[in-house]
């Protein structure tokens, strides 16, 4: 009985630690978002900043979407493959990532450059899916993507080189969520002057952090929803912290009872 109780206690402690860490992270994000007011681009000052407006491409143009003939500014992508083993079958994620490019946010007062390379990206738009049978040829955009020497937006490296695309059993699904030019976008990050060492410079960009003597934002977030919805979502922090508290108490209680029983 003490062994079972010990295992249950360790499991509950693990649940409590994971739930607590997630809940604290969500609460910190909520506090960071709520602590900075949305500002007109024309009124930006160096330091933590929050803007909401229309996403526009820079002079370099937008990015091609990985799985369709379209343009985007940000994209979250995922590739799944149908796998069968005995009586078990499921979709297995072969890889996923986020691809970003600098873009402007125009809120009607002015526009500001955003460099989202280090940002947390949250896209909630429709998940566009292309399903391709194992014996079907890949559409052109997908073929170009999988032929790349490295996999963009995937920190673990070029996993695509390790996949045997021609011999696996089952279909594949190619998912993407995109932020397109003209979409509404929310950005919370650190505003800094472009060429801050130049006297009188007043062009701004939003980045993760800036070496300009002003405080940096605690959060760098790019999303396709307004602040009110992002705050509402992060109300789940209370639920996770409550679960964490109960799990930690129950886990500690079971461990103590097991030790005393032993």
């Amino acid at each position: 009985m003490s062994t079972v109780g010990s295992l249950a206690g360790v499991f509950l402690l693990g649940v409590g630690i994971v739930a607590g860490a997630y809940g604290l992270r969500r609460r910190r994000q909520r506090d960071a978002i709520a602590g900075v007011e949305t500002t007109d681009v024309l009124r930006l000052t160096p330091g933590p900043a929050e803007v909401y407006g229309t996403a526009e491409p820079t002079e370099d143009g937008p990015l091609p979407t990985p799985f369709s003939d379209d343009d985007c500014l940000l994209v979250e992508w995922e590739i799944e493959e149908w796998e069968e083993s005995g009586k078990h079958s499921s979709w297995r994620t072969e890889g996923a990532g986020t691809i970003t490019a600098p873009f402007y946010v125009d809120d009607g007062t002015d526009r500001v450059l955003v460099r989202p390379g280090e940002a947390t990206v949250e896209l909630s738009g429709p998940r566009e899916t292309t399903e391709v049978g194992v014996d079907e040829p890949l559409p052109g955009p997908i073929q170009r993507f999988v032929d790349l020497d490295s996999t963009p937006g995937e920190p673990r490296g070029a996993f695509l080189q390790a996949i045997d695309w021609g011999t696996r059993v089952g279909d594949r699904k190619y998912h993407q969520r995109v932020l397109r030019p003209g979409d509404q976008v929310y950005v919370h990050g650190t505003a800094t002057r472009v060429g801050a060492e130049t006297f009188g410079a007043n062009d701004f960009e939003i980045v993760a952090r800036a070496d300009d003597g002003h405080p940096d934002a605690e959060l760098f977030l790019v999303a396709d929803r307004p602040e009110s919805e992002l705050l509402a979502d992060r109300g789940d922090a209370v639920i996770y912290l409550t679960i964490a508290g109960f799990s930690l108490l129950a886990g500690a209680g079971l461990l103590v009872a097991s030790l005393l029983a032993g």
Side-chain angles (χ1 to χ4, degrees):
M1 175 66 87
S2 61
T3 301
V4 174
S6 296
L7 291 175
V10 170
F11 173 77
L12 288 173
L13 286 176
V15 170
I17 291 171
V18 172
Y22 183 76
L24 287 173
R25 181 165 66 89
R26 298 283 281 181
R27 188 172 69 180
R28 283 195 296 269
Q29 290 180 349
R30 191 181 194 285
D31 290 345
I33 293 170
V36 177
E37 290 188 11
T38 302
T39 305
D40 289 344
V41 172
L42 188 61
R43 300 179 182 277
L44 280 175
T45 57
E50 180 179 286
V51 296
Y52 185 74
T54 304
E56 297 180 348
T58 66
E59 292 74 13
D60 294 331
L63 295 166
T65 51
F67 304 144
S68 61
D69 287 314
D70 206 351
D71 292 329
C72 68
L73 301 172
L74 304 173
V75 58
E76 295 176 324
W77 62 270
E78 180 183 12
I79 299 174
E80 293 183 306
E81 184 167 280
W82 185 254
E83 188 174 76
E84 298 178 358
S85 178
K87 297 181 180 180
H88 304 285
S89 58
S90 63
W91 287 103
R92 185 183 69 181
T93 298
E94 293 286 356
T98 301
I99 309 171
T100 66
F103 63 91
Y104 289 108
V105 176
D106 188 333
D107 68 352
T109 67
D110 203 346
R111 67 179 188 175
V112 60
L113 180 66
V114 179
R115 299 188 183 276
E118 299 178 63
T120 298
V121 175
E122 287 189 14
L123 300 181
S124 60
R127 194 185 197 201
E128 304 167 9
T129 298
T130 301
E131 187 167 348
V132 182
V134 66
D135 296 323
E136 298 175 356
L138 291 176
I142 297 177
Q143 186 67 63
R144 288 191 291 271
F145 184 81
V146 300
D147 283 344
L148 293 173
D149 291 333
S150 61
T151 306
E154 213 296 321
R156 291 172 296 171
F159 77 93
L160 292 178
Q161 295 177 345
I163 298 176
D164 184 357
W165 293 94
T167 59
R168 290 187 181 270
V169 175
D171 299 338
R172 300 185 191 96
K173 288 183 178 180
Y174 301 85
H175 307 286
Q176 61 182 19
R177 274 196 178 95
V178 299
L179 179 76
R180 292 184 169 86
D183 288 348
Q184 294 298 107
V185 63
Y186 165 94
V187 180
H188 181 112
T190 301
T192 184
R193 284 189 175 90
V194 179
E197 58 282 340
T198 304
F199 180 77
N202 59 2
D203 289 335
F204 277 88
E205 62 184 28
I206 298 180
V207 293
R209 61 191 65 86
D211 186 16
D212 60 4
H214 295 277
D216 293 334
E218 298 179 13
L219 174 68
F220 190 19
L221 174 67
V222 177
D224 58 357
R225 292 180 294 165
E227 179 188 48
S228 58
E229 294 184 19
L230 296 171
L231 289 173
D233 274 357
R234 283 159 176 79
D236 63 2
V238 175
I239 297 173
Y240 282 98
L241 291 174
T242 301
I243 292 172
F246 281 117
S247 297
L248 291 172
L249 286 173
L254 284 172
L255 284 178
V256 170
S258 298
L259 290 173
L260 293 176

